[in-house]
Amino acid sequence: MTVHAAVHATVRPPATAPEAPAPPLRGLRVLDLATLFAGPLAATMLGDFGADVVKVEHPRKPDPSRGHGPAKDGIGLWWKVLGRNKRTITLDLSSPGGRDTLLALAADADVIVENFRPGTLERWGLGWEELSTVNPRLVLARVTGFGQFGPYAHRPGFGTLAEAMSGFAAITGEPDGPPTLPPFGLADSIAALATAYAVMTALTARTTTGRGQVVDMAIIEPMLAVIGPHPLWYDQLGYVQPRTGNRSRNNAPRNTYRTADGSWVAVSTSAQSIAERVLRLVGRPELIDEPWFANGAGRAANADVLDEAVGSWIARRTRDEAMAAFEKAEAAIAPVYDIRDVVDDPQYRALGTVTEVEDPELGPIKMQNVLFRLSETPGGIRWPGRPHGADTTAVLSELGLTPAEIDRLRDQGAV
């Protein structure tokens, strides 16, 4: 059977033992063509709740996340998380054989996630016109730095640029320090959440219209959405928020404070009642009677006084002593954790936030669990990230290709 003759063949997920109850996205088929990191993470989130995700990588250029960050025994660890619940195949989409195979897969898919620069898929004959022709019900999620149009659309785009251009870096850091970028993929992760939400929105719309559509996700936009009402403040007041370190312009005390045993804790007093409890706890109830204490803005304007009161009290106590006193007073406090604290914390353990997964290459490994809990149809991690191209033969066989046809594609360099 040729690829064209197999266009309407069914791509089935790997055989597994019956699950009760079935995950909510079982039966949803997703092709993940994206790399580093927003697009692939969005596909991971869909896979975590049962979607059959097929990760498509170039035969000779694996997803860079396989080599990103620390590795063990030459095996990239980041990929184990990002690639979980995905079957992996190789296709050179720029080759005729790779193009035809992708169209065959798309004919039976529900979602494609891609993050090539605008125009790349079109150049390969895999644009929306071709994809929607073979499958009018397809949802195509296009995740790029700047979107599909506009003066910056063809620029290379990464999360770091979104963190800079959204205003996030400008308000992050100490007042006398430089704009500060996060030491992890914040913008990519937020864009991944937004993309997964957008995909599910488009799929819901499909139940009414019967047709798929294009999701145009620019990484700069979700990052701007989460920093708050800054555009409105600027529009109505001309207000541009400065860097304030750990402090807030909206309330105080709000900061991190060092304890007597060298640990750190974070205190928040967004509610007036909490602020009053904190000041009574630290032995400074007279500050509550100050006129400026009656609202968050007034307290923020007097943050030096409040930080001294709270910080000096905490500095005389160990972390456990400070935590216990704040909890008894029903005031908001949290320890500043590193990852060692996270994996040992009883609340995270109770929630199952970090879970252990069996990996054929590394044995038992720990990673974050699925993002949320559903009471009736929970998600789960069926397997961690698999080797490059591990499922190519199985997936193409499900399309109806014979071993000889798959070998021919390999000889052509298409897979």
Side-chain angles (χ1 to χ4, degrees), residues 343-374:
V343 298
D344 287 336
D345 181 83
Q347 181 63 30
Y348 280 125
R349 285 187 173 183
L351 295 174
T353 307
V354 177
T355 190
E356 189 171 276
V357 183
E358 188 65 32
D359 180 70
E361 295 179 290
L362 298 174
I365 59 176
K366 290 183 178 179
M367 64 178 65
Q368 301 95 321
N369 211 333
V370 299
L371 191 59
F372 50 86
R373 287 163 293 282
L374 296 179

Side-chain angles (χ1 to χ4, degrees), residues 52-77:
D52 176 25
V53 181
V54 176
K55 173 71 177 181
V56 180
E57 300 174 81
H58 193 280
R60 294 163 293 281
K61 300 174 185 176
D63 189 313
S65 66
R66 291 182 179 273
H68 210 80
K72 181 180 179 181
D73 299 333
I75 299 169
L77 299 179

Side-chain angles (χ1 to χ4, degrees), residues 11 26 39 74 88 101 109 120 172 177-178 199 208 212 250 265 298 336 347 355 369 383 388 401 413:
V11 180
R26 175 172 287 178
T88 62
T101 305
T120 301
T172 303
V199 164
T208 301
N250 303 313
V265 294
V336 176
Q347 181 63 30
T355 190
N369 211 333
W383 61 83
H388 182 230
L401 273 67

